[in-house]
Amino acid sequence: MTSAGATKKVVVLDYGFGNVRSAERALARVGADVEITRDFDTAMNADGLLVPGVGAFAACMQGLRSVRGDWIVGRRLSGGRPVMGICVGMQILFAHGIEHGVETEGLDEWPGTVEPLKADVVPHMGWNTVEAPEDSELFRGLTADERYYFVHSYAVQDWSLEVANPVMRAPKVTWATHGSPFVAAVENGALWATQFHPEKSGDAGAQLLKNWIGTL
């Protein structure tokens, strides 16, 4: 285990569907020792694993499985080792995704279905505020009027997991609204995720990543 105060090793999982260079720069900015890789052992042994994601749910799942990313995420979480998903990297953590009428299985770390946003203007592209729980660790030090950068057409709009399982604390769910409310972030034991892009969200996003690094 990395000693307190030491630089934390973070792997950005490179499975072909994420802004890996932007994530790398943002994590390095807040003091992490960052490596972009798809190597199984390196990803397993890092202090933190960041799973980015852009594009279609089904394609991201195919890419993730091609590098055994589903095994990496599952085995890290079974050992209580931190994982953070961003954008589609968050969406694939849910049970299912539906795009153009086609349903694809996700990693099923959380129940729920990623569905088209119910909004007049799609995609939801640009800056938006969020409603975070008062005891959020992810948003510690950030005010309610901070804005974060979103680019997506799909989201989870119903949260059904309300109680903790035996190895995880009760989840903390953050919401945002574009047309109707959707899940903007989740903190659930070792598994955290954001629908927005912290690496593109300026100083607020940097603080958020720093908060995550501080828990590793």
Side-chain angles (χ1 to χ4, degrees), residues 87 117 121-130 146-153 176-178 182 184 195-198 200-202:
C87 197
L117 286 169
V121 177
V122 176
H124 174 211
M125 183 181 298
W127 299 85
N128 202 349
T129 56
V130 302
E146 297 282 6
R147 299 171 73 84
Y148 305 90
Y149 192 77
F150 291 83
V151 183
H152 63 119
S153 299
T177 299
H178 180 71
F182 64 88
Q195 177 61 69
F196 57 86
H197 289 271
K200 297 182 179 180
S201 296

Side-chain angles (χ1 to χ4, degrees), residues 57 91 94-99 103-104 110-116 154-158 160:
F57 187 104
Q91 294 177 3
F94 288 88
H96 304 281
I98 297 176
E99 294 183 344
E103 183 170 328
T104 303
W110 296 314
T113 301
V114 180
E115 300 178 289
Y154 301 84
V156 170
Q157 292 153 81
D158 294 295
S160 59

